[in-house]
Amino acid sequence: IEAEELLYEIKNLAVGRPAMDIAANSLDGTTMKLSSYRGRVVLLSFWADWSTASQQMWSQERALVKSLRDEPFVMLGVFAESKSKLQQLVDSQTVTWANWVDGSESTIGKGWRVNSFPTYYLIDHEGIIRYKTSGRLPEGQLEAWTRELLSKIPAQSGP
């Protein structure tokens, strides 16, 4: 079983591999698909409110979303708790990015083999995983990686 698990991670979750799609309901009940964000750099964050490390990253995440709002970038969260808890965090402006609600079943988190919070996958504009990390990161690290990937998006040529 350990070998099967390792092969699964190498095939589906390793840096340099295409990101697996996620299609699930967002907070407002509409279906949100990871693949629909192709063409943008995507910061995929698996997180939980009870995780101190997740809480410590909120200000960096909000700043990143704000500073890159005019870039081909999106941050998407996979929230490991209830819809009502996420609604509270969105209403208080603690969380300013779109999220899937993974709840106690943790279906998405299990598929992505998440075992600590936060866990980040930074996915390039072609849908390839370029960075994978977990825990609290140094100030500016997410932005540096994101800007590096943004710089690799080909400029759009005019008509």
Side-chain angles (χ1 to χ4, degrees):
I1 298 233
E2 285 182 29
E4 286 177 17
E5 188 61 26
L6 189 58
L7 284 172
Y8 178 89
E9 290 202 27
I10 290 169
K11 182 180 176 201
N12 298 297
L13 300 168
V15 169
R17 301 293 303 165
M20 297 185 301
D21 203 7
I22 298 172
N25 286 343
S26 63
L27 186 58
D28 67 7
T30 60
T31 299
M32 192 166 68
K33 291 181 74 167
L34 179 58
S35 59
S36 68
Y37 293 93
R38 190 78 31 93
R40 296 186 195 181
V41 172
V42 176
L43 176 59
L44 183 61
S45 171
F46 290 84
W47 65 285
D49 179 55
W50 51 260
S51 160
T52 303
S54 290
Q55 292 175 13
Q56 291 170 338
M57 291 300 295
W58 287 341
S59 63
Q60 282 190 59
E61 293 164 345
R62 282 192 304 269
L64 185 67
V65 168
K66 185 177 181 180
S67 73
L68 297 177
R69 69 179 167 269
D70 297 326
E71 300 289 335
F73 165 79
V74 65
M75 180 171 172
L76 301 172
V78 180
F79 184 60
E81 295 179 62
S82 71
K83 188 175 179 176
S84 61
K85 183 61 187 174
L86 179 58
Q87 188 65 61
Q88 290 173 8
L89 293 166
V90 168
D91 289 347
S92 69
Q93 300 275 303
T94 301
V95 173
T96 58
W97 52 90
N99 282 269
W100 288 280
V101 178
D102 210 19
S104 59
E105 300 299 310
S106 190
T107 310
I108 301 168
K110 286 178 183 169
W112 283 73
R113 303 307 194 255
V114 172
N115 52 28
S116 66
F117 297 106
T119 291
Y120 296 105
Y121 285 87
L122 194 57
I123 302 164
D124 73 11
H125 66 285
E126 295 178 328
I128 306 298
I129 298 168
R130 295 298 175 193
Y131 291 95
K132 173 183 174 180
T133 188
S134 58
R136 185 170 179 219
L137 297 173
E139 189 76 35
Q141 184 63 71
L142 286 175
E143 185 165 359
W145 286 340
T146 303
R147 288 194 180 279
E148 174 196 332
L149 295 183
L150 285 168
S151 74
K152 295 179 179 178
I153 298 177
Q156 298 296 316
S157 56

